[in-house]
Amino acid sequence: MMKLIRLVLGAIILFFDRVFTPTSMSRTPEAQAQADLRVKSLVLYQLNACPFCVKVRRELKRLGISVALKDIGKDPQAHQELMAGGKEDQAPCLKITKPDQSVQWLYESTDIVNYLRAEFA
């Protein structure tokens, strides 16, 4: 029964996400190229119909950036990567590879959105 409820709610969440897609911010071509280069160090581990993941993906859309997405519900290898690196079975999680190649695993949708706004707004 719970699986059915999740399936229905997930479909509703995805429907409204598609209908009310946010508008992307505009940048100069040079600024967009720089943002595109910087997002290559980011990976978002997420679940497609998770409302917290939708919140983060909507912010990515607003900011006009395209981060690599890994669905931990459909990709067992992505789930293993998350567990090996982040150590928590929770989505969303943003993997941030810093210039010195150290890695930060950022959980909680609000924290991820705040990080993205600070870096790309």
Side-chain angles (χ1 to χ4, degrees):
M1 183 63 164
M2 195 60 162
K3 193 170 190 169
L4 177 63
I5 292 170
R6 284 187 185 139
L7 182 66
V8 171
L9 286 176
I12 292 168
I13 288 168
L14 291 174
F15 171 77
F16 281 106
D17 181 41
R18 285 187 189 99
V19 171
F20 299 106
T21 300
T23 304
S24 296
M25 69 184 298
S26 60
R27 293 185 179 91
T28 65
E30 297 81 18
Q32 187 62 50
Q34 185 180 37
D36 292 342
L37 185 62
R38 290 178 30 222
V39 297
K40 290 182 180 186
S41 65
L42 305 177
V43 178
L44 181 65
Y45 292 82
Q46 51 101 39
L47 296 164
N48 193 40
C50 163
F52 302 105
C53 299
V54 170
K55 174 183 174 179
V56 173
R57 291 194 311 264
R58 290 177 65 81
E59 189 61 28
L60 292 170
K61 176 70 174 161
R62 272 187 209 94
L63 292 171
I65 55 177
S66 181
V67 171
L69 302 177
K70 294 194 177 188
D71 191 323
I72 63 170
K74 295 179 181 175
D75 183 351
Q77 183 175 347
H79 186 258
Q80 288 177 340
E81 290 171 15
L82 176 64
M83 293 305 296
K87 309 276 191 259
E88 291 185 42
D89 191 13
Q90 178 183 331
C93 178
L94 185 66
K95 177 183 176 187
I96 306 162
T97 304
K98 298 181 181 184
D100 66 0
Q101 298 307 307
S102 65
V103 175
Q104 176 185 359
W105 297 84
L106 186 59
Y107 288 91
E108 301 299 332
S109 60
T110 300
D111 293 341
I112 295 170
V113 166
N114 289 339
Y115 171 83
L116 293 170
R117 286 179 182 164
E119 292 293 316
F120 297 99

